[in-house]
Amino acid sequence: MDNADYVFFYTDGIVEARNEKGEAFRLERLRQILVQYADSPATEIENQVLQRVKDFTKNLPQKDDITMVVLKVVDEHKSQAAI
């Protein structure tokens, strides 16, 4: 792994989060966020995903959990994690 590598684990509650029209957040939206923030710290990736889901759903109650784990390499001796 190098400084640009990270691992993102998530539950289906993220991609299946629904807005007021019943539309799902979907994997493509999640991918766009992950690509856009690939060079950011793990906590920023986590914050952006959560914020975008909240913006999409307008904070409507969801039927499934929204859980993620971001593991990111900072350098060869350190790593970051956001859970």
mmCIF file of all heavy atoms in Angstrom, residues 12-53:
data_model
loop_
_atom_site.group_PDB
_atom_site.id
_atom_site.type_symbol
_atom_site.label_atom_id
_atom_site.label_comp_id
_atom_site.label_asym_id
_atom_site.label_seq_id
_atom_site.Cartn_x
_atom_site.Cartn_y
_atom_site.Cartn_z
ATOM 1 N N ASP A 12 -24.975 -1.882 3.738
ATOM 2 C CA ASP A 12 -25.888 -1.510 2.652
ATOM 3 C C ASP A 12 -26.811 -0.360 3.024
ATOM 4 O O ASP A 12 -27.450 0.233 2.155
ATOM 5 C CB ASP A 12 -26.692 -2.713 2.179
ATOM 6 C CG ASP A 12 -27.578 -3.320 3.255
ATOM 7 O OD1 ASP A 12 -27.494 -2.907 4.427
ATOM 8 O OD2 ASP A 12 -28.355 -4.226 2.915
ATOM 9 N N GLY A 13 -26.845 0.018 4.284
ATOM 10 C CA GLY A 13 -27.652 1.155 4.692
ATOM 11 C C GLY A 13 -27.223 2.455 4.036
ATOM 12 O O GLY A 13 -28.031 3.377 3.891
ATOM 13 N N ILE A 14 -25.967 2.547 3.617
ATOM 14 C CA ILE A 14 -25.493 3.754 2.934
ATOM 15 C C ILE A 14 -26.085 3.824 1.537
ATOM 16 O O ILE A 14 -26.727 4.804 1.171
ATOM 17 C CB ILE A 14 -23.952 3.808 2.889
ATOM 18 C CG1 ILE A 14 -23.400 4.003 4.306
ATOM 19 C CG2 ILE A 14 -23.465 4.915 1.954
ATOM 20 C CD1 ILE A 14 -21.889 3.950 4.407
ATOM 21 N N VAL A 15 -25.881 2.801 0.740
ATOM 22 C CA VAL A 15 -26.327 2.841 -0.654
ATOM 23 C C VAL A 15 -27.840 2.682 -0.790
ATOM 24 O O VAL A 15 -28.410 3.036 -1.817
ATOM 25 C CB VAL A 15 -25.587 1.799 -1.525
ATOM 26 C CG1 VAL A 15 -24.103 2.149 -1.609
ATOM 27 C CG2 VAL A 15 -25.777 0.387 -1.013
ATOM 28 N N GLU A 16 -28.494 2.165 0.242
ATOM 29 C CA GLU A 16 -29.949 1.997 0.216
ATOM 30 C C GLU A 16 -30.689 3.103 0.965
ATOM 31 O O GLU A 16 -31.914 3.054 1.070
ATOM 32 C CB GLU A 16 -30.320 0.627 0.791
ATOM 33 C CG GLU A 16 -29.838 -0.509 -0.084
ATOM 34 C CD GLU A 16 -30.119 -1.895 0.493
ATOM 35 O OE1 GLU A 16 -30.682 -1.978 1.613
ATOM 36 O OE2 GLU A 16 -29.773 -2.876 -0.173
ATOM 37 N N ALA A 17 -29.957 4.117 1.463
ATOM 38 C CA ALA A 17 -30.606 5.245 2.134
ATOM 39 C C ALA A 17 -31.558 5.920 1.149
ATOM 40 O O ALA A 17 -31.235 6.079 -0.028
ATOM 41 C CB ALA A 17 -29.550 6.235 2.631
ATOM 42 N N ARG A 18 -32.747 6.269 1.624
ATOM 43 C CA ARG A 18 -33.806 6.795 0.749
ATOM 44 C C ARG A 18 -34.099 8.261 1.024
ATOM 45 O O ARG A 18 -34.075 8.701 2.173
ATOM 46 C CB ARG A 18 -35.103 6.007 0.950
ATOM 47 C CG ARG A 18 -34.967 4.524 0.712
ATOM 48 C CD ARG A 18 -35.145 4.206 -0.723
ATOM 49 N NE ARG A 18 -34.907 2.768 -0.939
ATOM 50 C CZ ARG A 18 -34.867 2.241 -2.118
ATOM 51 N NH1 ARG A 18 -35.053 2.984 -3.193
ATOM 52 N NH2 ARG A 18 -34.635 0.961 -2.268
ATOM 53 N N ASN A 19 -34.415 8.986 -0.045
ATOM 54 C CA ASN A 19 -34.847 10.376 0.100
ATOM 55 C C ASN A 19 -36.374 10.431 0.143
ATOM 56 O O ASN A 19 -37.040 9.387 0.154
ATOM 57 C CB ASN A 19 -34.268 11.259 -1.016
ATOM 58 C CG ASN A 19 -34.769 10.908 -2.405
ATOM 59 O OD1 ASN A 19 -35.742 10.181 -2.587
ATOM 60 N ND2 ASN A 19 -34.090 11.431 -3.413
ATOM 61 N N GLU A 20 -36.940 11.640 0.153
ATOM 62 C CA GLU A 20 -38.390 11.789 0.283
ATOM 63 C C GLU A 20 -39.157 11.233 -0.912
ATOM 64 O O GLU A 20 -40.341 10.922 -0.806
ATOM 65 C CB GLU A 20 -38.775 13.265 0.517
ATOM 66 C CG GLU A 20 -38.552 14.186 -0.671
ATOM 67 C CD GLU A 20 -37.115 14.695 -0.833
ATOM 68 O OE1 GLU A 20 -36.254 14.391 0.010
ATOM 69 O OE2 GLU A 20 -36.867 15.408 -1.816
ATOM 70 N N LYS A 21 -38.486 11.072 -2.064
ATOM 71 C CA LYS A 21 -39.118 10.495 -3.252
ATOM 72 C C LYS A 21 -38.987 8.975 -3.294
ATOM 73 O O LYS A 21 -39.459 8.341 -4.227
ATOM 74 C CB LYS A 21 -38.491 11.079 -4.513
ATOM 75 C CG LYS A 21 -38.702 12.559 -4.662
ATOM 76 C CD LYS A 21 -37.982 13.067 -5.896
ATOM 77 C CE LYS A 21 -38.073 14.572 -5.995
ATOM 78 N NZ LYS A 21 -37.279 15.091 -7.117
ATOM 79 N N GLY A 22 -38.293 8.405 -2.303
ATOM 80 C CA GLY A 22 -38.086 6.962 -2.274
ATOM 81 C C GLY A 22 -36.889 6.505 -3.087
ATOM 82 O O GLY A 22 -36.669 5.310 -3.240
ATOM 83 N N GLU A 23 -36.107 7.449 -3.609
ATOM 84 C CA GLU A 23 -34.924 7.095 -4.405
ATOM 85 C C GLU A 23 -33.784 6.683 -3.482
ATOM 86 O O GLU A 23 -33.595 7.284 -2.411
ATOM 87 C CB GLU A 23 -34.475 8.301 -5.248
ATOM 88 C CG GLU A 23 -35.526 8.795 -6.203
ATOM 89 C CD GLU A 23 -35.205 10.155 -6.793
ATOM 90 O OE1 GLU A 23 -34.583 10.995 -6.093
ATOM 91 O OE2 GLU A 23 -35.611 10.384 -7.941
ATOM 92 N N ALA A 24 -33.014 5.688 -3.903
ATOM 93 C CA ALA A 24 -31.872 5.205 -3.124
ATOM 94 C C ALA A 24 -30.632 6.043 -3.413
ATOM 95 O O ALA A 24 -30.462 6.578 -4.504
ATOM 96 C CB ALA A 24 -31.595 3.742 -3.448
ATOM 97 N N PHE A 25 -29.757 6.145 -2.419
ATOM 98 C CA PHE A 25 -28.491 6.867 -2.560
ATOM 99 C C PHE A 25 -27.622 6.229 -3.643
ATOM 100 O O PHE A 25 -27.006 6.923 -4.421
ATOM 101 C CB PHE A 25 -27.755 6.876 -1.210
ATOM 102 C CG PHE A 25 -26.553 7.759 -1.185
ATOM 103 C CD1 PHE A 25 -26.699 9.131 -1.106
ATOM 104 C CD2 PHE A 25 -25.275 7.227 -1.219
ATOM 105 C CE1 PHE A 25 -25.584 9.966 -1.065
ATOM 106 C CE2 PHE A 25 -24.163 8.045 -1.177
ATOM 107 C CZ PHE A 25 -24.320 9.415 -1.099
ATOM 108 N N ARG A 26 -27.545 4.928 -3.676
ATOM 109 C CA ARG A 26 -26.895 4.100 -4.698
ATOM 110 C C ARG A 26 -25.366 4.118 -4.647
ATOM 111 O O ARG A 26 -24.748 5.051 -4.167
ATOM 112 C CB ARG A 26 -27.368 4.468 -6.099
ATOM 113 C CG ARG A 26 -28.846 4.236 -6.284
ATOM 114 C CD ARG A 26 -29.323 4.523 -7.651
ATOM 115 N NE ARG A 26 -28.365 5.384 -8.341
ATOM 116 C CZ ARG A 26 -28.407 5.687 -9.610
ATOM 117 N NH1 ARG A 26 -29.356 5.228 -10.348
ATOM 118 N NH2 ARG A 26 -27.524 6.480 -10.161
ATOM 119 N N LEU A 27 -24.822 3.060 -5.174
ATOM 120 C CA LEU A 27 -23.378 2.842 -5.184
ATOM 121 C C LEU A 27 -22.646 3.901 -6.004
ATOM 122 O O LEU A 27 -21.549 4.326 -5.633
ATOM 123 C CB LEU A 27 -23.066 1.435 -5.716
ATOM 124 C CG LEU A 27 -21.610 1.008 -5.717
ATOM 125 C CD1 LEU A 27 -21.009 1.088 -4.329
ATOM 126 C CD2 LEU A 27 -21.486 -0.402 -6.258
ATOM 127 N N GLU A 28 -23.210 4.355 -7.097
ATOM 128 C CA GLU A 28 -22.524 5.344 -7.937
ATOM 129 C C GLU A 28 -22.259 6.644 -7.184
ATOM 130 O O GLU A 28 -21.189 7.227 -7.309
ATOM 131 C CB GLU A 28 -23.317 5.615 -9.216
ATOM 132 C CG GLU A 28 -22.584 6.493 -10.196
ATOM 133 C CD GLU A 28 -21.183 5.993 -10.558
ATOM 134 O OE1 GLU A 28 -20.974 4.778 -10.709
ATOM 135 O OE2 GLU A 28 -20.280 6.851 -10.684
ATOM 136 N N ARG A 29 -23.198 7.101 -6.384
ATOM 137 C CA ARG A 29 -22.969 8.311 -5.577
ATOM 138 C C ARG A 29 -21.848 8.085 -4.581
ATOM 139 O O ARG A 29 -21.001 8.958 -4.379
ATOM 140 C CB ARG A 29 -24.240 8.725 -4.841
ATOM 141 C CG ARG A 29 -25.264 9.408 -5.692
ATOM 142 C CD ARG A 29 -26.418 9.938 -4.820
ATOM 143 N NE ARG A 29 -27.410 10.587 -5.631
ATOM 144 C CZ ARG A 29 -28.438 9.977 -6.212
ATOM 145 N NH1 ARG A 29 -28.616 8.681 -6.055
ATOM 146 N NH2 ARG A 29 -29.302 10.662 -6.940
ATOM 147 N N LEU A 30 -21.862 6.925 -3.945
ATOM 148 C CA LEU A 30 -20.808 6.603 -2.993
ATOM 149 C C LEU A 30 -19.453 6.562 -3.690
ATOM 150 O O LEU A 30 -18.475 7.131 -3.198
ATOM 151 C CB LEU A 30 -21.107 5.263 -2.306
ATOM 152 C CG LEU A 30 -20.064 4.769 -1.317
ATOM 153 C CD1 LEU A 30 -19.822 5.784 -0.206
ATOM 154 C CD2 LEU A 30 -20.472 3.421 -0.750
ATOM 155 N N ARG A 31 -19.360 5.923 -4.835
ATOM 156 C CA ARG A 31 -18.097 5.870 -5.587
ATOM 157 C C ARG A 31 -17.579 7.261 -5.918
ATOM 158 O O ARG A 31 -16.380 7.526 -5.815
ATOM 159 C CB ARG A 31 -18.280 5.088 -6.890
ATOM 160 C CG ARG A 31 -18.311 3.618 -6.721
ATOM 161 C CD ARG A 31 -18.353 2.956 -8.081
ATOM 162 N NE ARG A 31 -18.554 1.537 -7.926
ATOM 163 C CZ ARG A 31 -19.258 0.795 -8.743
ATOM 164 N NH1 ARG A 31 -19.835 1.322 -9.810
ATOM 165 N NH2 ARG A 31 -19.393 -0.496 -8.533
ATOM 166 N N GLN A 32 -18.462 8.148 -6.333
ATOM 167 C CA GLN A 32 -18.044 9.508 -6.674
ATOM 168 C C GLN A 32 -17.411 10.214 -5.480
ATOM 169 O O GLN A 32 -16.395 10.902 -5.622
ATOM 170 C CB GLN A 32 -19.234 10.316 -7.196
ATOM 171 C CG GLN A 32 -19.703 9.868 -8.559
ATOM 172 C CD GLN A 32 -20.996 10.542 -8.985
ATOM 173 O OE1 GLN A 32 -21.612 11.295 -8.221
ATOM 174 N NE2 GLN A 32 -21.421 10.276 -10.202
ATOM 175 N N ILE A 33 -17.983 10.046 -4.315
ATOM 176 C CA ILE A 33 -17.424 10.645 -3.100
ATOM 177 C C ILE A 33 -16.052 10.047 -2.800
ATOM 178 O O ILE A 33 -15.092 10.765 -2.501
ATOM 179 C CB ILE A 33 -18.356 10.431 -1.895
ATOM 180 C CG1 ILE A 33 -19.694 11.105 -2.130
ATOM 181 C CG2 ILE A 33 -17.714 10.941 -0.600
ATOM 182 C CD1 ILE A 33 -20.791 10.652 -1.196
ATOM 183 N N LEU A 34 -15.951 8.719 -2.894
ATOM 184 C CA LEU A 34 -14.691 8.046 -2.584
ATOM 185 C C LEU A 34 -13.582 8.464 -3.544
ATOM 186 O O LEU A 34 -12.428 8.639 -3.133
ATOM 187 C CB LEU A 34 -14.880 6.532 -2.590
ATOM 188 C CG LEU A 34 -15.851 5.998 -1.533
ATOM 189 C CD1 LEU A 34 -16.012 4.493 -1.678
ATOM 190 C CD2 LEU A 34 -15.409 6.378 -0.131
ATOM 191 N N VAL A 35 -13.902 8.656 -4.801
ATOM 192 C CA VAL A 35 -12.906 9.115 -5.778
ATOM 193 C C VAL A 35 -12.530 10.565 -5.488
ATOM 194 O O VAL A 35 -11.356 10.932 -5.479
ATOM 195 C CB VAL A 35 -13.439 8.949 -7.220
ATOM 196 C CG1 VAL A 35 -12.564 9.672 -8.218
ATOM 197 C CG2 VAL A 35 -13.539 7.471 -7.570
ATOM 198 N N GLN A 36 -13.526 11.398 -5.256
ATOM 199 C CA GLN A 36 -13.282 12.822 -5.021
ATOM 200 C C GLN A 36 -12.398 13.061 -3.802
ATOM 201 O O GLN A 36 -11.564 13.965 -3.809
ATOM 202 C CB GLN A 36 -14.607 13.557 -4.845
ATOM 203 C CG GLN A 36 -14.451 15.050 -4.644
ATOM 204 C CD GLN A 36 -15.793 15.765 -4.511
ATOM 205 O OE1 GLN A 36 -16.855 15.160 -4.606
ATOM 206 N NE2 GLN A 36 -15.744 17.052 -4.300
ATOM 207 N N TYR A 37 -12.567 12.276 -2.758
ATOM 208 C CA TYR A 37 -11.839 12.492 -1.508
ATOM 209 C C TYR A 37 -10.750 11.447 -1.260
ATOM 210 O O TYR A 37 -10.273 11.312 -0.130
ATOM 211 C CB TYR A 37 -12.822 12.552 -0.331
ATOM 212 C CG TYR A 37 -13.660 13.799 -0.396
ATOM 213 C CD1 TYR A 37 -14.906 13.794 -1.019
ATOM 214 C CD2 TYR A 37 -13.187 15.004 0.099
ATOM 215 C CE1 TYR A 37 -15.663 14.942 -1.126
ATOM 216 C CE2 TYR A 37 -13.933 16.164 -0.008
ATOM 217 C CZ TYR A 37 -15.165 16.128 -0.619
ATOM 218 O OH TYR A 37 -15.897 17.284 -0.735
ATOM 219 N N ALA A 38 -10.304 10.774 -2.288
ATOM 220 C CA ALA A 38 -9.300 9.706 -2.151
ATOM 221 C C ALA A 38 -8.016 10.183 -1.483
ATOM 222 O O ALA A 38 -7.371 9.429 -0.755
ATOM 223 C CB ALA A 38 -8.996 9.092 -3.513
ATOM 224 N N ASP A 39 -7.627 11.423 -1.702
ATOM 225 C CA ASP A 39 -6.390 11.946 -1.120
ATOM 226 C C ASP A 39 -6.591 12.570 0.252
ATOM 227 O O ASP A 39 -5.649 13.062 0.853
ATOM 228 C CB ASP A 39 -5.760 12.976 -2.065
ATOM 229 C CG ASP A 39 -5.288 12.350 -3.364
ATOM 230 O OD1 ASP A 39 -4.910 11.153 -3.353
ATOM 231 O OD2 ASP A 39 -5.308 13.047 -4.393
ATOM 232 N N SER A 40 -7.797 12.561 0.751
ATOM 233 C CA SER A 40 -8.117 13.167 2.046
ATOM 234 C C SER A 40 -7.862 12.186 3.184
ATOM 235 O O SER A 40 -7.825 10.973 2.975
ATOM 236 C CB SER A 40 -9.589 13.587 2.062
ATOM 237 O OG SER A 40 -9.844 14.527 1.053
ATOM 238 N N PRO A 41 -7.739 12.707 4.411
ATOM 239 C CA PRO A 41 -7.616 11.818 5.578
ATOM 240 C C PRO A 41 -8.860 10.953 5.752
ATOM 241 O O PRO A 41 -9.951 11.311 5.280
ATOM 242 C CB PRO A 41 -7.471 12.792 6.749
ATOM 243 C CG PRO A 41 -7.034 14.081 6.145
ATOM 244 C CD PRO A 41 -7.630 14.114 4.767
ATOM 245 N N ALA A 42 -8.716 9.852 6.447
ATOM 246 C CA ALA A 42 -9.815 8.907 6.668
ATOM 247 C C ALA A 42 -11.021 9.594 7.299
ATOM 248 O O ALA A 42 -12.157 9.346 6.903
ATOM 249 C CB ALA A 42 -9.346 7.743 7.539
ATOM 250 N N THR A 43 -10.787 10.474 8.266
ATOM 251 C CA THR A 43 -11.911 11.148 8.921
ATOM 252 C C THR A 43 -12.669 12.054 7.954
ATOM 253 O O THR A 43 -13.882 12.190 8.067
ATOM 254 C CB THR A 43 -11.453 11.964 10.146
ATOM 255 O OG1 THR A 43 -10.403 12.854 9.750
ATOM 256 C CG2 THR A 43 -10.959 11.059 11.265
ATOM 257 N N GLU A 44 -11.962 12.671 7.009
ATOM 258 C CA GLU A 44 -12.629 13.521 6.018
ATOM 259 C C GLU A 44 -13.485 12.681 5.071
ATOM 260 O O GLU A 44 -14.602 13.080 4.709
ATOM 261 C CB GLU A 44 -11.613 14.337 5.221
ATOM 262 C CG GLU A 44 -12.230 15.249 4.190
ATOM 263 C CD GLU A 44 -13.078 16.374 4.789
ATOM 264 O OE1 GLU A 44 -13.011 16.641 6.004
ATOM 265 O OE2 GLU A 44 -13.827 16.988 4.019
ATOM 266 N N ILE A 45 -12.983 11.519 4.678
ATOM 267 C CA ILE A 45 -13.772 10.616 3.831
ATOM 268 C C ILE A 45 -15.046 10.215 4.567
ATOM 269 O O ILE A 45 -16.145 10.297 4.021
ATOM 270 C CB ILE A 45 -12.954 9.375 3.426
ATOM 271 C CG1 ILE A 45 -11.763 9.792 2.545
ATOM 272 C CG2 ILE A 45 -13.827 8.346 2.716
ATOM 273 C CD1 ILE A 45 -10.743 8.696 2.324
ATOM 274 N N GLU A 46 -14.902 9.825 5.817
ATOM 275 C CA GLU A 46 -16.057 9.448 6.636
ATOM 276 C C GLU A 46 -17.049 10.605 6.744
ATOM 277 O O GLU A 46 -18.257 10.431 6.529
ATOM 278 C CB GLU A 46 -15.595 9.035 8.026
ATOM 279 C CG GLU A 46 -16.722 8.783 8.993
ATOM 280 C CD GLU A 46 -16.259 8.667 10.423
ATOM 281 O OE1 GLU A 46 -15.213 9.240 10.789
ATOM 282 O OE2 GLU A 46 -16.973 8.005 11.193
ATOM 283 N N ASN A 47 -16.559 11.794 7.060
ATOM 284 C CA ASN A 47 -17.425 12.958 7.218
ATOM 285 C C ASN A 47 -18.158 13.301 5.928
ATOM 286 O O ASN A 47 -19.351 13.645 5.955
ATOM 287 C CB ASN A 47 -16.624 14.170 7.698
ATOM 288 C CG ASN A 47 -16.133 14.018 9.119
ATOM 289 O OD1 ASN A 47 -16.671 13.253 9.906
ATOM 290 N ND2 ASN A 47 -15.077 14.740 9.453
ATOM 291 N N GLN A 48 -17.474 13.210 4.801
ATOM 292 C CA GLN A 48 -18.099 13.539 3.523
ATOM 293 C C GLN A 48 -19.196 12.537 3.162
ATOM 294 O O GLN A 48 -20.260 12.931 2.677
ATOM 295 C CB GLN A 48 -17.049 13.622 2.412
ATOM 296 C CG GLN A 48 -16.191 14.853 2.492
ATOM 297 C CD GLN A 48 -16.996 16.128 2.356
ATOM 298 O OE1 GLN A 48 -17.954 16.218 1.595
ATOM 299 N NE2 GLN A 48 -16.601 17.150 3.104
ATOM 300 N N VAL A 49 -18.932 11.260 3.383
ATOM 301 C CA VAL A 49 -19.955 10.247 3.093
ATOM 302 C C VAL A 49 -21.190 10.505 3.962
ATOM 303 O O VAL A 49 -22.313 10.545 3.456
ATOM 304 C CB VAL A 49 -19.418 8.809 3.298
ATOM 305 C CG1 VAL A 49 -20.545 7.789 3.233
ATOM 306 C CG2 VAL A 49 -18.340 8.486 2.268
ATOM 307 N N LEU A 50 -20.982 10.708 5.256
ATOM 308 C CA LEU A 50 -22.119 10.954 6.153
ATOM 309 C C LEU A 50 -22.875 12.214 5.759
ATOM 310 O O LEU A 50 -24.108 12.223 5.736
ATOM 311 C CB LEU A 50 -21.646 11.058 7.604
ATOM 312 C CG LEU A 50 -21.258 9.756 8.268
ATOM 313 C CD1 LEU A 50 -20.658 10.032 9.645
ATOM 314 C CD2 LEU A 50 -22.452 8.826 8.378
ATOM 315 N N GLN A 51 -22.150 13.287 5.440
ATOM 316 C CA GLN A 51 -22.808 14.541 5.074
ATOM 317 C C GLN A 51 -23.602 14.398 3.790
ATOM 318 O O GLN A 51 -24.731 14.888 3.684
ATOM 319 C CB GLN A 51 -21.781 15.672 4.948
ATOM 320 C CG GLN A 51 -22.430 17.026 4.756
ATOM 321 C CD GLN A 51 -23.355 17.389 5.912
ATOM 322 O OE1 GLN A 51 -22.948 17.351 7.071
ATOM 323 N NE2 GLN A 51 -24.605 17.715 5.610
ATOM 324 N N ARG A 52 -23.039 13.710 2.807
ATOM 325 C CA ARG A 52 -23.748 13.544 1.533
ATOM 326 C C ARG A 52 -24.998 12.687 1.695
ATOM 327 O O ARG A 52 -26.023 12.955 1.067
ATOM 328 C CB ARG A 52 -22.830 12.924 0.491
ATOM 329 C CG ARG A 52 -21.608 13.732 0.159
ATOM 330 C CD ARG A 52 -21.929 14.934 -0.731
ATOM 331 N NE ARG A 52 -20.737 15.640 -1.080
ATOM 332 C CZ ARG A 52 -19.963 15.381 -2.131
ATOM 333 N NH1 ARG A 52 -20.286 14.428 -2.967
ATOM 334 N NH2 ARG A 52 -18.868 16.085 -2.335
ATOM 335 N N VAL A 53 -24.919 11.657 2.548
ATOM 336 C CA VAL A 53 -26.108 10.840 2.811
ATOM 337 C C VAL A 53 -27.165 11.694 3.514
ATOM 338 O O VAL A 53 -28.345 11.654 3.154
ATOM 339 C CB VAL A 53 -25.764 9.572 3.628
ATOM 340 C CG1 VAL A 53 -27.028 8.868 4.115
ATOM 341 C CG2 VAL A 53 -24.913 8.619 2.804
#
